[in-house]
């Protein structure tokens, strides 16, 4: 068995969840925050059999869009009293970031 950890944009969360449910996958949805943008994103945990992995990846690929996002690269520790000139930076976010891990043991009580 594999554990898939998949981080997606919040805007893709519902569509992706619907498609995964339709395809019979079991998964857990966790609200998460990107370390760089410090904005909400969504992390899915899915335990899947080895032969289901490709199908899951295909669903994720089809339902998660790549987006350009402009962020203001303000000094992170600046307080409102400190004047700064924010410099907009364009970053590409998603479609999805996926880690696939080997599962030693899976038990359901
Ligand atoms: P964030 O950390 O908020 O990153 C959002 C996007 O900003 C990233 O998109 C990437 O294009 C850019 N970015 C991230 N770190 C950067 C840096 N140090 N310098 C310049 N640009 C940077 P994605 O790569 O698609 O990542 C989307 C989200 O997936 C990330 O949100 C983070 O929550 C997660 N993620 C990505 N790579 C990861 C990793 N190696 N380990 C754990 N989580 C990861």
């Amino acid at each position: 068995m594999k554990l898939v950890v998949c981080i997606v944009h919040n805007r893709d969360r519902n569509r992706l969840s619907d498609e995964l449910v339709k395809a019979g996958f079991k998964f857990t949805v966790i609200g998460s925050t990107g370390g760089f943008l410090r904005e909400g994103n969504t992390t899915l945990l899915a335990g899947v059999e080895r032969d289901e992995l490709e199908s899951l990846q295909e669903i994720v690929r089809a339902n998660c869009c790549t987006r350009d996002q402009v962020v203001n690269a303000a000094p992170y520790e600046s307080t409102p009293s400190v004047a700064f000139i924010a410099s907009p930076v364009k970053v590409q976010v998603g479609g999805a970031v996926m880690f696939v891990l080997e599962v030693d043991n899976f038990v359901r009580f």
Side-chain angles (χ1 to χ4, degrees):
M1 194 183 211
K2 303 278 188 186
L3 176 66
V4 176
V5 179
C6 182
I7 303 155
V8 303
H9 199 287
N10 278 347
R11 281 188 222 154
D12 296 327
R13 176 186 50 205
N14 290 344
R15 189 179 54 231
L16 176 60
S17 298
D18 289 349
E19 292 304 315
L20 289 173
V21 169
K22 248 191 256 171
F25 286 104
K26 294 177 181 172
F27 56 98
T28 298
V29 181
I30 302 173
S32 46
T33 303
F36 185 66
L37 295 180
R38 299 170 201 226
E39 287 183 2
N41 53 25
T42 297
T43 299
L44 302 179
L45 299 182
V48 299
E49 297 302 331
R50 198 175 292 265
D51 61 356
E52 296 174 318
L53 188 57
E54 208 173 307
S55 158
L56 181 132
Q57 285 176 332
E58 194 44 53
I59 293 171
V60 172
R61 193 177 294 122
N63 288 282
C64 295
C65 310
T66 306
R67 299 178 173 83
D68 283 336
Q69 201 157 324
V70 177
V71 292
N72 283 322
Y76 194 63
E77 287 176 2
S78 64
T79 61
S81 63
V82 177
F84 66 86
I85 300 169
S87 44
V89 179
K90 199 192 265 186
V91 292
Q92 198 178 67
V93 186
V97 172
M98 187 182 284
F99 302 89
V100 180
L101 299 103
E102 202 65 49
V103 173
D104 286 342
N105 196 12
F106 169 69
V107 186
R108 225 163 136 232
F109 297 103

